[in-house]
Each structure stands twice: as C-alpha cells, then as structure tokens.
Amino acid sequence: MSTDQQEPNPDDFDTIVLGTGLAESIIAASLAKASQKVLHIDPFPTYGGPRHSSLTIPELVAHLPDLENSSYEYPAGSSAAAGGSFQQDVETGSRGRQYAISLYPAILPARGKLIDTLISSGVSGYIGFRVVDGIGLWQPSTSTGAGTSTNRGEEFASDIKKVPSSKGQVFKDKTLSLMEKRKLMKMLMFVANLDETKAIDDALLKDKIDMPFVPYLQQAFDLPLAMARDIAFGIAHCTTGKEPALVTLLRMQRYLRSLSRYSPTSSFLVAQFGGIGEIVQGFCRSCAVYGGTYILGDMARIKSGKQTEEGVEIQIEAQEGALRGKRLIGTDKALKQAGLLDASGDGRGSRRKIEESEPRRSNCVAIVSGLPPMVRSAFSSGRDGAQQTEEQEDEDEVAGNDVLVLVAPPPEDQEKGQEVSRILFMGSGTGSCPEGEYVVYISTPTRIGETNPAKALLDRLFVTPTSTALPTSAHQPGRHGPDQAPCWWGSFERVRVVGRDGPRGRARSGRAGRSGRRDDHQARRGRGWRR
Amino acid sequence: MSRNAQSFKLVLLGESAVGKSSLVLRFAKDEYSDFRESTIGAAFLTQTLTTDEGRDIKFEIWDTSTTPGYRSLAPIYFRNSAAAVIVYDITQRSQASFAQAKTWVQTLRRQADPSITIILVGNKLDLASSSRGTDRELAEAYAEEEGLLFVEASAKTGENVQEVFMQVAKKLPLAPPPQATSGGGGKPGQKGVKLAPGQASGQQAAQACNC
Ligand SMILES: Cc1cc2nc3c(=O)[nH]c(=O)nc-3n(C[C@H](O)[C@H](O)[C@H](O)COP(=O)(O)OP(=O)(O)OC[C@H]3O[C@@H](n4cnc5c(N)ncnc54)[C@H](O)[C@@H]3O)c2cc1C
Ligand SMILES: Nc1nc2c(ncn2[C@@H]2O[C@H](COP(=O)(O)OP(=O)(O)OP(=O)(O)O)[C@@H](O)[C@H]2O)c(=O)[nH]1
Ligand SMILES: [Mg+2]
C-alpha cells in the first residue's frame, strides 16, 4: 500500500488521535482502514494508556503512585514469597514480565458490539480468547457473623453458590422446590422471547418498564426475593439491583443468547494476555497495518497545540517541527492537556469536576498461587456438595477453573442503592500469569470511612477454612492458607462514572459538533466489568 | 486456499532500510524494487510454502517500521510468534545494523516465547564483493553462539531468499503453534477461543498484502 502513497509532507495527517484507550484505538483503526492518514499518540508508555493498558508487575508498581489511594505489598509468609526472592525475581528478573495485569478487568459477553467489531475489523485474528468457566454468587457477610463461628470447609463453600449455566443444571439444583423451578423457567423463557418492539404492550411489562429490577421480578413473576436477587446479580449482572426493568431484561437476554456462541455453558469471554490491553493492541496493530503511525511514551508528550485554518497543529517532544492534522480526536482531558480545550471553556469542561463525594470503587489485584479453598470446592466440577479432597488441588485448570467470577451482591436491606462487589480469577490459561498461579481482581464500592475495602475482601477470600476466627486486619501469619496466600497485591481507587449526561471522558472530535447521542447509561451501569 | 496448511506467525525485525520488506516481497511475490519506500506503520501478509517433506506451512508475516522515534513495538507483536527473522545489512559496518540485530535478539529472549525459532539474515548479498561491511564469519560465529539459524541473502537477486523461510519452516514444531505460552505458562491451545468465524476466512487482512 505504501508504495504508491505519495506523501506531500510526512508531518501532515488526516486525523491525529490522542490517547490509546479502547475507544480511541477503535477509532484510529477504522479511520486508517478508511484510508485516512492517522497519527496515534499517547504519552503513556504502553498501548491502552493509563486506563486500559495491561501491565507487568514492575510496570504496574511504577504506575500505582499515579492512581488514587494506591498501595502495594509483597506479603511475607506466603509460600511463593518464601526466601524473599519473589520480589526480586519479579522486579529485577524476568518473572515480573510473565504477568499481564489489566487496569480494566472486564468480561465480554459473547454477543455484543465489541465482539462484532473485533470480528468485522479482523482484529480478532490477532487475539486469543478464553471462556469464563464459572460464575458464583458469594455472600461474604453471612460468614462474618460475630466472628465466633467454628467454620468448617463446607460452611465456607456454601457461601458460594454456583450460578447454573444450563437448563439441566437448574433442574438438578436441589436447593429449589419444583414450584420455584417452574417460576424460574417461566421467567427465563420470557426473557429469551422478549421482543423489544412489543415490550410496552406486554402484560408482564406494561407500566413496569422502569420499575427497579429486583422488585419487578418479584412482582411480575412471583419470585421470592432471594431468587430475584440471584437472577439480578448472577445472571443479569446488575450493579445495584435497582436498574430499570426493560433495559435490564434486554441485557439479560443478550447474555442468555451469548450462551452457546463459543461455549455451551458460558456467556462470557476474556482476552488472553491481559484482556482489554490486548484488545487495544490489536486495534492499534490494525491501524498500523493500514498505515497509522504510533508514538508512545515521553516522546509523545504534547508541548503545545493550537487550532488553525486547516485543522490542528501540535508540538510533541519527539520532534522540533509541528505535526498537523485536519482533525484531532481525544477525550476532554486529553484535549485540555494538549491546550486545545480551555479548562473552563465550552461549558462542558467545567461541569466535570471530580467531587470528593462521588462514588468510588476500590480495586485490588493480587497474585496468588492457587484458588482460595472455598472457591475451589464451590467450583469443583462434577461433584455434588462442597466437600472435596485435596488431591484435586492442582487440577483446577483441568477441571475448567481457569477463569472464574464471583459476584458479591449488596446487602438485602439496601436503602441507598449499594453496589455489588466483583471478583475475577484469571488463571495461567489466560496468559496473565505463570502456570499454577492466578491473578485475582477485586472491585468493590468504597464507603465513607473505609480504607481499602477491596483488600479486606481479598483477605476474606483467602482465610483458611480451619481458622477459628476471621482476620480483621491484613495478612496475619497463619490466617491464610499457606499455599494460596497472595505473594503480591496492589490496590487503588477510581471514581465510578455514571450519570444521565453520559460517562466522563467522552471521546470528542476536535471538529464535529456533538452528535447529541443519548447515552443509554442504565444499560451500561457497572462499567469496568461487562461490556 | 491451501489444503490444511499449518499456520505460523513470523515477525520481521531489524533496523530501517536493511531490506525487511524487500525480503518479504521477494519471498511472497517474487517482486523487487530499488525504490522501496520505508514501511509506514506495519504490514501484514501471508505466504504458504511446502517443505521438502511435503508439509504445508502458512506464514503470517508481521512486518513493521522501525523508524526511530516512531512506533513502539507492542507486546502483541511478539505474542505467539513461532519465528523471528532478524535482518541486518551486510554492506554496513558491524557496529551499525548488525549491532542492532543483536539487540533484537536480546529483546526476543526477554519478550518472546522461549521456543521461538530465530534466523539471522545478512541482506544485500549482491553487494558483497563491492562493499561488504560486516564479515560473514563474525555473524556466523555470533549466530552459532546464540543458537540462531543464519543465512546471507539478497532480496535484489533473490539469492537465498526462499532458503531463509525454508530453514525456518523446517525448524517449526509439528504440533500446533504455541497459543498461550509467552508471558504465562498456559497450556497450549487448550480451551482457547478464536473469534473468527472460520480460521482463514475471518482474517480478511491476511489475504491482502498491505505493505
Ligand atoms: C472493555 C470495553 C468494552 C466496551 N464495549 C462497548 C460496547 O460493546 N458498546 C459500546 O457502546 N461501548 C463499549 N465500550 C465503550 C464504553 O461504553 C465506554 O468506554 C465507557 O462507557 C466509558 O466508561 P469508562 O468508565 O471506562 O470511562 P473511561 O475509562 O474514562 O474512558 C474509557 C475510554 O472510553 C472513551 N469514552 C468514554 N466515554 C465515551 C463515550 N461516551 N463515547 C465514546 N468513547 C468514550 C474514552 O475516551 C476512553 O478511551 C466498551 C469499553 C470497554 C472498556
Ligand atoms: N542492493 C540491494 N538493495 C536492497 C536489497 N534489499 C533491499 N534493498 C534496498 O534497500 C532499501 C530498503 O529496503 P526495505 O525493504 O524498504 O527495508 P526495510 O527494512 O523494510 O525498511 P523499513 O521499512 O524502513 O524498516 C530499498 O531501497 C531497497 O531497494 C538487496 O538485497 N540488495
Ligand atoms: Mg519495511
């Protein structure tokens, strides 16, 4: 292609794209494919930028200080850390590079726009995927009790309820009465056959389209509260359970229809080698194949920028002269950094100030050398009940427990619309870590006065079944299972972006006016997870 | 297309203007131009080859521009690559593109799958008699030390170009290419999902030459 490309000036571009986040990368790839000359730059050193990259441990450790309320640790006492060499191996040896840790852990429904885009753009050819092997509902609150119970393995395991992934599994479920099973199947059939265009006239939806989801399920299908909540959080993947009925039903329908596209028992996929970060690289690669030029890291730092008659002109560290684009695309934040958008100008910029009071989510990622015992026993395949012998210890991957998801619903008596906590286990089959280990991602709402609640959840997960009390503080020796204790964890906070006006950081075009597209924000709640 | 060809990803590395794209074009299309423009961004094309044993090998060739300042190679570039062709220009002094080739070897050792097949290629052999700058012996000794395949070739005359890819093909494993090994110890291929509706038909980009 390049052979007959006569470039008048190598520093002139049709479009300059600022930032290599997912949205920007998809845009860059599609513009390049449409024969535009694209310059794609990001002052962050890795593809994906500060939000969507996948990083090695050393890279993440270097990046953590830039994130809010961040910390990390190599806890002593875990078997993998024995001898104190783990930290050294990771930070100076080659070991750290064997990890691909996503700043944006997310599972992808097998049917959705992102998957469609990946396939139609050909980018899927660059990327390998894994299916999510199982989803479980976890009620950590019930196991805390007064901290006095003499917990045994089964009790712990029973706190995790595996979400059935097929009709057969629903019928086998011994915890449900026949009546409940009938109601449940009726509900699932309703969702499967729901026709969006006729929804308003549907007897089961009429006047209830915007009703909060959990009460809606109770009312429309006469389901008990517990079951309604299980459906809302385990199948529809609600964040609060109060999302409006119709959009939630339609999303659930998409998840149900995702079943069997790539796996008979799973609706979701993850990209290998670090998830979104890898997907981003795929789009950037595709952009480059169609002639896109890339500058990343310090060399891409923008020194100045201005609008001109022909478009935009920017100065970057990489070179003396200006780079010109007929058009420039980036988020508000990126445009401001480039000096192309007045911090207070244009009315929109000023609106987005991050308030202290804005809802935050606490995130924790840990490297562990095995699944927590209670998770392993809950997902041990082909067995009834929770008991499981230790001989299966290393068989998790074989048993199809490479990628697992736990959802911890908010307390039942929720008044303020509390949010779920989510936990994602990525095993070595995903290419995120060496064999036998897992990367654990935890995301949980931060409530006022709490410090590092995500790390606290991590501690709860890895408490040993035989310990008599639950740990209240971080890693006390002997409280963790000796084999699974985290050998590294890091945590940070993020403001959760929701709102009628659409998410923060909407990608903007330097030229085109606002499209006036209304964000279907409800359908996207819980971003940072499912897309 | 080809019958049951086994598909392998091959990356091209080396300093700008050593002739990476020229080698690929000679190999894939038997074309050559004295006025080849520097690759902008990246290129991707496929070429199938049959080994002496009758094995069909389909190379997915990842070429890229290494113009300094522009382009940071993403990990995805090395990911799952079964082979790397590292090219230098024999007309340059060994401190130049040959030294750069050695740096690429180190990078591959760090970032790529340990089982990757690497071939070191000294290009522009047609100019050997008039203006050789890097000794064959020097490069050969280095390749041996590092356990690399080695060949001198000319994209211009076509000499040894087929040989480069044939040597690589012979070294490739009979089993399916590694799926999930670099960067993690995943079990190759197991449960991995490819989204393309059909392996070959999904990769539209693979059919067209974009260089
Ligand atoms: C894994 C993943 C899958 C996605 N799949 C879909 C999908 O199937 N369908 C779909 O419509 N969208 C999809 N998106 C885009 C998604 O809707 C927006 O990225 C998201 O709403 C931004 O929220 P955030 O909290 O991640 O914002 P940020 O992390 O601040 O932004 C993330 C990125 O999205 C860009 N962005 C933010 N808001 C918008 C917006 N309104 N329009 C365009 N770009 C925006 C930003 O420029 C940035 O690059 C997906 C995003 C991700 C990360
Ligand atoms: N004499 C001679 N010239 C060659 C040979 N191979 C390539 N060239 C010339 O060397 C120049 C660079 O070749 P390319 O194939 O574009 O080099 P490249 O390594 O792809 O360069 P970048 O894309 O910039 O990284 C061109 O002018 C080619 O004509 C060769 O075997 N002999
Ligand atoms: Mg080239």
Side-chain angles (χ1 to χ4, degrees):
Chain A
M1 235 185 213
S2 58
T3 34
D4 46 38
Q5 234 167 343
Q6 286 307 319
E7 306 300 348
N9 186 334
D11 296 333
D12 286 345
F13 296 89
D14 293 315
T15 304
I16 299 175
V17 181
L18 300 183
T20 53
L22 182 70
E24 291 90 334
S25 301
I26 294 173
I27 291 167
S30 54
L31 290 178
K33 195 167 185 173
S35 305
Q36 285 209 12
K37 197 181 164 202
V38 175
L39 173 69
H40 195 182
I41 63 180
D42 196 325
F44 200 76
T46 57
Y47 289 85
R51 285 192 69 99
H52 292 158
S53 285
S54 296
L55 303 175
T56 64
I57 295 182
E59 285 169 340
L60 182 54
V61 163
H63 178 50
L64 275 173
D66 300 334
L67 300 169
E68 266 186 90
N69 289 334
S70 64
S71 55
Y72 72 92
E73 188 187 23
Y74 295 86
S78 68
S79 65
S85 63
F86 180 77
Q87 175 167 3
Q88 235 182 342
D89 286 357
V90 159
E91 288 187 355
T92 57
S94 63
R95 182 157 186 180
R97 280 191 296 270
Q98 300 185 346
Y99 299 90
I101 297 172
S102 177
L103 291 174
Y104 207 102
I107 56 175
L108 311 175
R111 286 186 200 282
K113 284 183 186 153
L114 186 58
I115 297 284
D116 292 346
T117 306
L118 280 162
I119 294 172
S120 62
S121 63
V123 167
S124 56
Y126 298 150
I127 306 166
F129 290 82
R130 289 253 149 169
V131 301
V132 172
D133 296 298
I135 296 177
L137 287 159
W138 182 35
Q139 283 295 354
S141 48
T142 59
S143 64
T144 53
T148 53
S149 59
T150 51
N151 289 302
R152 280 160 289 124
E154 316 87 82
E155 280 173 60
F156 263 95
S158 64
D159 290 336
I160 296 177
K161 226 185 307 177
K162 202 174 154 180
V163 176
S165 53
S166 66
K167 233 188 232 177
Q169 285 187 21
V170 171
F171 281 112
K172 272 193 234 152
D173 193 327
K174 294 193 185 99
T175 64
L176 297 176
S177 72
L178 193 61
M179 188 58 141
E180 286 174 325
K181 280 178 197 172
R182 278 217 196 106
K183 288 179 182 170
L184 178 59
M185 289 314 297
K186 183 183 166 203
M187 195 268 154
L188 293 174
M189 290 306 286
F190 173 77
V191 177
N193 298 320
L194 181 61
D195 179 347
E196 186 177 1
T197 58
K198 299 190 187 121
I200 340 166
D201 301 321
D202 195 298
L204 287 168
L205 258 170
K206 218 191 301 186
D207 313 323
K208 303 193 190 81
I209 282 171
D210 286 322
M211 199 176 161
F213 193 58
V214 170
Y216 165 77
L217 289 181
Q218 290 178 267
Q219 199 182 320
F221 299 95
D222 193 25
L223 297 178
L225 174 65
M227 190 188 276
R229 279 168 51 86
D230 284 358
I231 293 168
F233 297 108
I235 301 176
H237 292 280
C238 289
T239 297
T240 62
K242 295 186 167 183
E243 292 86 343
L246 179 58
V247 274
T248 313
L249 286 169
L250 291 171
R251 191 181 60 213
M252 184 170 158
Q253 180 179 66
R254 188 155 63 88
Y255 297 161
L256 292 178
R257 290 183 180 169
S258 292
L259 262 173
S260 84
R261 182 165 189 188
Y262 295 110
S263 150
T265 53
S266 179
S267 297
F268 298 97
L269 301 168
V270 292
Q272 282 179 310
F273 304 108
I276 298 311
E278 192 77 357
I279 292 177
V280 163
Q281 287 180 39
F283 283 106
C284 292
R285 169 79 196 161
S286 171
C287 175
V289 164
Y290 290 99
T293 299
Y294 278 83
I295 311 176
L296 261 63
D298 289 336
M299 297 298 270
R301 190 148 310 177
I302 295 172
K303 294 191 283 190
S304 66
K306 65 168 191 270
Q307 295 208 23
T308 63
E309 296 273 288
E310 291 81 33
V312 231
E313 237 181 66
I314 57 168
Q315 295 269 351
I316 60 168
E317 294 289 343
Q319 68 174 50
E320 286 294 313
L323 297 165
R324 284 169 298 274
K326 291 183 195 136
R327 191 160 51 154
L328 181 137
I329 295 174
T331 59
D332 283 0
K333 200 175 159 205
L335 294 188
K336 278 179 205 156
Q337 275 169 0
L340 286 160
L341 190 66
D342 196 353
S344 56
D346 146 291
R348 270 176 50 80
S350 54
R351 190 173 47 77
R352 288 300 324 182
K353 260 237 171 91
I354 299 167
E355 303 293 342
E356 267 304 301
S357 58
E358 270 187 272
R360 278 150 204 278
R361 286 187 74 90
S362 164
N363 304 282
C364 181
V365 47
I367 308 298
V368 300
S369 46
L371 291 171
M374 62 167 157
V375 174
R376 190 189 309 135
S377 54
F379 284 96
S380 61
S381 54
R383 279 160 209 245
D384 276 61
Q387 259 128 333
Q388 187 203 6
T389 47
E390 297 289 306
E391 63 214 39
Q392 274 215 327
E393 283 255 330
D394 299 315
E395 306 288 313
D396 287 322
E397 217 180 290
V398 180
N401 286 340
D402 196 41
V403 185
L404 295 175
V405 167
L406 285 187
V407 178
E412 256 173 48
D413 53 341
Q414 42 161 332
E415 279 145 32
K416 292 182 217 129
Q418 283 177 26
E419 298 175 1
V420 285
S421 303
R422 295 187 170 108
I423 300 160
L424 172 62
F425 295 90
M426 299 262 267
S428 61
T430 65
S432 336
C433 59
E435 193 138 7
E437 298 180 21
Y438 283 82
V439 181
V440 188
Y441 297 96
I442 299 177
S443 155
T444 189
T446 315
R447 278 174 291 264
I448 296 156
E450 269 181 325
T451 50
N452 214 343
K455 171 62 171 54
L457 263 190
L458 177 73
D459 290 337
R460 289 241 200 111
L461 268 180
F462 283 92
V463 73
T464 51
T466 46
S467 69
T468 49
L470 289 146
T472 47
S473 64
H475 72 95
Q476 287 173 20
R479 291 269 165 87
H480 287 125
D483 294 326
Q484 291 85 25
C487 29
W488 181 86
W489 63 262
S491 65
F492 58 93
E493 274 187 8
R494 222 172 234 173
V495 174
R496 189 159 108 70
V497 198
V498 250
R500 282 261 163 228
D501 304 319
R504 180 173 58 105
R506 161 192 297 272
R508 285 165 58 93
S509 158
R511 272 248 179 117
R514 289 202 55 200
S515 63
R517 168 183 161 226
R518 264 194 64 232
D519 282 316
D520 182 4
H521 84 281
Q522 293 290 8
R524 301 203 201 152
R525 297 192 72 153
R527 60 171 52 92
W529 191 252
R530 291 156 277 105
R531 299 294 177 171
Chain B
M1 279 271 313
S2 52
R3 343 123 258 186
N4 280 335
Q6 226 183 318
S7 190
F8 292 93
K9 178 173 162 185
L10 179 149
V11 295
L12 275 166
L13 298 165
E15 195 158 282
S16 187
V18 296
K20 299 181 294 297
S21 305
S22 298
L23 281 167
V24 169
L25 254 95
R26 173 62 80 189
F27 169 57
K29 304 198 161 169
D30 203 16
E31 283 171 7
Y32 175 80
S33 157
D34 271 321
F35 308 101
R36 165 141 287 277
E37 278 185 30
S38 181
T39 307
I40 300 165
F44 187 68
L45 72 165
T46 60
Q47 174 66 15
T48 307
L49 159 162
T50 307
T51 65
D52 303 341
E53 300 100 65
R55 237 178 118 201
D56 284 340
I57 305 266
K58 180 173 156 201
F59 284 114
E60 293 172 4
I61 301 170
W62 291 45
D63 184 8
T64 198
S65 149
T66 44
T67 320
Y70 285 86
R71 170 135 211 107
S72 326
L73 276 193
I76 199 175
Y77 190 78
F78 302 107
R79 198 91 76 207
N80 296 334
S81 45
V85 176
I86 302 180
V87 186
Y88 68 93
D89 179 346
I90 65 155
T91 67
Q92 296 176 8
R93 314 262 315 268
S94 62
Q95 294 93 318
S97 61
F98 178 67
Q100 184 61 41
K102 286 168 140 182
T103 316
W104 280 118
V105 174
Q106 300 316 313
T107 306
L108 283 175
R109 296 275 187 243
R110 280 201 314 271
Q111 297 203 15
D113 191 287
S115 67
I116 190 168
T117 300
I118 304 175
I119 186 163
L120 183 66
V121 179
N123 189 37
K124 311 199 183 176
L125 185 58
D126 54 293
L127 301 174
S129 52
S130 57
S131 47
R132 179 185 279 278
T134 300
D135 283 341
R136 186 194 162 94
E137 292 71 30
L138 176 80
E140 207 163 23
Y142 170 75
E144 187 159 345
E145 203 175 292
E146 289 283 332
L148 317 173
L149 300 169
F150 173 74
V151 77
E152 286 189 339
S154 166
K156 184 167 185 166
T157 63
E159 186 180 357
N160 282 345
V161 172
Q162 206 64 25
E163 181 70 13
V164 169
F165 295 89
M166 196 58 91
Q167 280 208 31
V168 170
K170 283 182 188 155
K171 277 279 209 141
L172 292 172
L174 284 165
Q179 264 290 321
T181 34
S182 78
K187 303 234 166 75
Q190 184 200 4
K191 277 197 292 127
V193 179
K194 270 285 174 194
L195 295 192
Q199 195 79 325
S201 61
Q203 300 178 358
Q204 303 107 310
Q207 312 308 335
C209 168
N210 299 303
C211 32

